[in-house]
Amino acid sequence: MDAGLARGLKDVVLDTTESSFIDGEEGILLYRGYTIHDLAQNSNFEEVCYLLLHGALPKQDQLDQFRGRLIANRTLAPQVIEVIRLVKSAHPMDVLRTAASALAAFDPDVDDNSRDANIRKSERLTAQIATIVAAHHRIRQGEEPVAPRKDLNHAANFLYMLEDKEPSQEAVEAMDLDFLLHAEHGANASAFAARVTASTLSDMHSSIVTAIGTLKGPLHGGAAEAVQKMTSEIGDPSRADAYIKQKLANKERIMGFGHRVYRAEDPRARHMREVSKVLGEKLGHSEWYQILNQVEKDMAPYQARGIYVNVDFYAGSVYALLGLPEDLFVPIFAIGRVPGWCVEILEQYENNMLIRPLLKYVGPTDLPFVPIDKR
Ligand SMILES: CC(C)(COP(=O)(O)OP(=O)(O)OC[C@H]1O[C@@H](n2cnc3c(N)ncnc32)[C@H](O)[C@@H]1OP(=O)(O)O)[C@@H](O)C(=O)NCCC(=O)NCCS
């Protein structure tokens, strides 16, 4: 590569952070010093949100109050619902981007960029983004949005608002774990994009809208949907090997594999693999897990090149087992990632420096100007 160029900002360390630590060689992920495995086994999404946004694990009363604030912030302004109705036929990520932008107009702290106000906005956004996704799903099906319930946690309330029925315990646990695993991941593309916006001292809602637009792409949040499509195309574990060989021969990528940072297995993947297996067995639908597992085995030779499964590989099968439509996979990722985006934005504000890289110009430099009638 050209000396001085850092294409894709690969391996560039942008700034310091206290939010998450990733060791890509060893496959380690920590949220504020706690391993993702401990948190996945012992914690829950609300507790992890508090940890990320407020810097330490909460005591019981702090957690209760935090949960109370999330619950109090779940309801959307009627005007935001109207915005969702206006754009209801668009892709759910486009609707989310538009409605998240509209939230700013009704946020009581919109003109206040202080740390306290931005923490309040972070909590509100964490609560509201889930409601937007669920409300849009209802509206696009010709139904009315379902009012949030105060007695349900974030994951349970989201599933309840989506389907207007009490979700099963295993569905709630799977959703909660999924949100927790997606909550924060350093300077990933969407968090980086959010930091760029924040670095101009633009506001929190603008930074979150930037992040949503960035997450949408198939090389980032869109991978789970692509994996599920691949699983359906393969159809049976016995066809996995030929399918993979064909794709790789065509120089196509296998979705759900590879990662910019990890050269070992993405530590989040093992938890989604387990949920995919256990939930599949419980619901009598092990076929997706079996196909994915076979693909993973067939891709084993690529581990020598640092290509392993990432978090999205098994996530799609879990969403599918929960009966969620494929175009909601990325918005679900967004619901989980809001606290991570917020904490990255907060850190950017705290120690701000405008993010403004250079481009190396490679075009001509000595063209004579030609008048329009002579071109
Ligand atoms: C995530 C991703 C964009 C990271 O890519 P990156 O850090 O830019 O690495 P590169 O694109 O330079 O890939 C390096 C090499 O590995 C190969 N590779 C990377 N991911 C691959 C995949 N999923 N399938 C097959 N080959 C892959 C590339 O073809 C490239 O090979 P080459 O050196 O022979 O050209 C990439 O792995 C990818 O496209 N994965 C599939 C999408 C996905 O699952 N995204 C979710 C991420 S959480």
Side-chain angles (χ1 to χ4, degrees):
M1 205 205 299
D2 206 336
L5 277 191
R7 291 198 68 233
L9 300 183
K10 199 167 184 165
D11 298 328
V12 171
V13 180
L14 173 73
D15 214 325
T16 59
T17 180
E18 293 179 6
S19 181
S20 59
F21 168 79
I22 302 169
D23 183 331
E25 296 298 325
E26 298 294 327
I28 294 170
L29 171 62
L30 312 178
Y31 290 169
R32 291 202 184 275
Y34 299 95
T35 82
I36 195 69
H37 305 306
D38 268 1
L39 294 169
Q41 273 153 23
N42 304 308
S43 190
N44 55 66
F45 181 65
E46 276 89 340
E47 195 173 52
V48 159
C49 287
Y50 187 97
L51 171 69
L52 291 170
L53 293 175
H54 295 277
L57 283 173
K59 295 186 196 308
Q60 191 60 54
D61 61 327
Q62 291 172 319
L63 182 60
D64 293 344
Q65 285 163 20
F66 177 70
R67 283 197 169 121
R69 293 197 296 275
L70 285 186
I71 289 167
N73 281 314
R74 281 174 179 165
T75 305
L76 301 176
Q79 294 93 328
V80 176
I81 299 282
E82 283 314 305
V83 168
I84 295 172
R85 286 190 206 282
L86 284 173
V87 295
K88 67 179 180 196
S89 54
H91 187 281
M93 275 307 269
D94 297 344
V95 175
L96 178 59
R97 192 193 57 229
T98 305
S101 185
L103 288 176
F106 307 97
D107 193 293
D109 289 312
V110 70
D111 293 325
D112 187 347
N113 219 19
S114 67
R115 181 175 165 81
D116 285 353
N118 281 328
I119 295 263
R120 289 195 294 274
K121 283 186 252 187
S122 301
E123 294 185 353
R124 255 178 236 130
L125 280 158
T126 301
Q128 292 165 330
I129 294 291
T131 312
I132 291 173
V133 176
H136 169 234
H137 186 58
R138 300 286 301 168
I139 288 168
R140 70 174 172 168
Q141 293 181 109
E143 312 269 9
E144 279 306 298
V146 176
R149 261 185 39 193
K150 290 189 166 58
D151 59 323
L152 299 177
N153 71 16
H154 196 65
N157 180 60
F158 169 64
L159 292 171
Y160 167 72
M161 290 190 299
L162 206 56
E163 288 167 354
D164 196 17
K165 65 172 198 278
E166 184 107 23
S168 68
Q169 190 55 30
E170 62 253 31
V172 173
E173 283 169 15
M175 200 76 266
D176 184 73
L177 179 65
D178 179 82
F179 288 160
L180 182 155
L181 293 172
H182 283 89
E184 158 64 351
H185 212 228
N188 59 86
S190 54
F192 171 69
R195 272 183 178 264
V196 172
T197 301
S199 84
T200 70
L201 297 185
S202 184
D203 63 286
M204 184 131 228
H205 285 83
S206 299
S207 306
I208 292 292
V209 171
T210 304
I212 294 169
T214 309
L215 182 71
K216 185 184 173 193
L219 296 188
H220 191 6
E225 188 176 337
V227 174
Q228 191 55 20
K229 287 196 166 66
M230 172 181 80
T231 314
S232 303
E233 266 172 56
I234 294 175
D236 188 272
S238 64
R239 286 200 284 272
D241 190 41
Y243 181 93
I244 298 302
K245 286 200 172 107
Q246 177 74 48
K247 284 263 173 203
L248 293 172
N250 292 343
K251 301 252 175 278
E252 287 179 56
R253 290 181 178 213
I254 308 302
M255 288 291 140
F257 277 85
H259 198 277
R260 173 56 67 80
V261 182
Y262 294 116
R263 290 290 168 261
E265 182 174 301
D266 179 336
R268 303 165 297 177
R270 80 159 85 146
H271 300 283
M272 293 314 283
R273 183 192 286 112
E274 183 65 13
V275 178
S276 174
K277 180 170 187 283
V278 172
L279 204 59
E281 281 164 4
K282 195 156 193 171
L283 300 177
H285 278 295
S286 292
E287 62 274 17
W288 290 322
Y289 171 78
Q290 282 162 11
I291 292 168
L292 292 170
N293 206 247
Q294 189 56 47
V295 171
E296 201 181 346
K297 285 183 187 139
D298 293 332
M299 284 292 284
Y302 280 77
Q303 292 180 1
R305 296 174 56 186
I307 299 173
Y308 291 78
V309 281
N310 59 51
V311 65
D312 289 324
F313 187 67
Y314 285 97
S317 65
V318 172
Y319 304 147
L321 285 166
L322 298 181
L324 302 170
E326 286 177 8
D327 63 1
L328 287 191
F329 291 7
V330 200
I332 287 169
F333 185 159
I335 295 171
R337 181 53 59 84
V338 182
W341 286 332
C342 291
V343 75
E344 295 288 332
I345 295 164
L346 288 164
E347 282 194 343
Q348 186 64 39
Y349 286 143
E350 250 159 56
N351 182 25
N352 190 49
M353 183 172 181
L354 178 72
I355 300 173
R356 203 294 188 197
L358 297 172
L359 290 171
K360 180 176 174 176
Y361 179 69
V362 293
T365 55
D366 53 359
L367 297 181
F369 184 80
V370 181
I372 195 160
D373 57 334
K374 301 260 164 43
R375 286 174 210 161

